[in-house]
Amino acid sequence: MPVVFFDRVYEDIEAAKVTTNDYDASFAATEHLIKTGCKKIAYLVVNKSISIGKVRMQGYMDALAKHKIVFDDTLVIDCSNDEKENYKILKKALQVIKPDGIFSSVERLAFATYYVCNDLGISIPNDLKVISFSSLRVAPLLSPLFQP
């Protein structure tokens, strides 16, 4: 039976794959935050042990290194698949760690960040800059903001 993997792939299974360059995109996203003035960038991840999580985190770490920002493990925020739990995790992180940038490895963590920021009165992008993978649900709302 022919199999084509989309987005998440299994390296030990020989099959066609349709993917993005997660490393380059993560590197570019982190570098963008750095170039906009962020020095304390948190990385939000659900599962850093799967291949996509590892690759995205490596792009994040390498961008920090390129710009001579020391990697700080406390800025890697382990989240869950539970929306309410993520709210608690992110609220505590924003209050205690106080990053100036967020790189979200998945869209739902960016959404959770928006809700926490709204409730805490944190202004995006003035107080906190947020960038994320896979903004499919919100992209149509943002595109008019970037019209010339």
Side-chain angles (χ1 to χ4, degrees):
M1 175 187 308
V3 175
V4 176
F5 287 109
F6 176 78
D7 193 27
R8 291 193 180 165
V9 299
Y10 296 91
E11 299 300 329
D12 55 339
I13 298 175
E14 193 66 35
K17 300 168 181 144
V18 178
T19 63
T20 59
N21 189 325
D22 290 299
Y23 175 85
D24 285 350
S26 297
F27 187 97
T30 305
E31 191 167 56
H32 175 74
L33 290 172
I34 293 166
K35 288 180 177 179
T36 60
C38 297
K39 297 191 181 340
K40 193 173 185 183
I41 302 166
Y43 175 69
L44 309 183
V45 62
V46 174
N47 187 345
K48 60 185 172 189
S49 65
I50 62 172
S51 63
I52 198 169
K54 290 178 188 177
V55 172
R56 289 178 179 180
M57 188 165 158
Q58 192 61 55
Y60 160 79
M61 293 169 58
D62 289 351
L64 294 176
K66 176 185 175 188
H67 292 275
K68 299 183 179 13
I69 297 174
V70 177
F71 172 75
D72 180 353
D73 194 46
T74 63
L75 290 171
V76 176
I77 313 297
D78 288 309
C79 298
S80 75
N81 285 312
D82 180 83
E83 194 174 312
K84 290 179 182 175
E85 184 65 24
N86 286 337
Y87 183 92
K88 292 177 196 172
I89 292 167
L90 294 171
K91 184 176 181 182
K92 181 179 178 184
L94 292 177
Q95 290 176 318
V96 175
I97 299 170
K98 298 182 180 176
D100 56 6
I102 295 276
F103 171 37
S104 176
S105 64
V106 292
E107 178 181 56
R108 70 180 172 274
L109 298 179
F111 287 139
T113 301
Y114 300 156
Y115 283 112
V116 172
C117 287
N118 182 64
D119 291 350
L120 294 177
I122 296 171
S123 172
I124 299 170
N126 298 325
D127 302 327
L128 179 70
K129 293 173 179 34
V130 180
I131 197 164
S132 176
F133 265 92
S134 307
S135 294
L136 297 177
R137 288 182 17 203
V138 77
L141 301 173
L142 298 176
S143 61
L145 300 175
F146 299 103
Q147 298 297 323

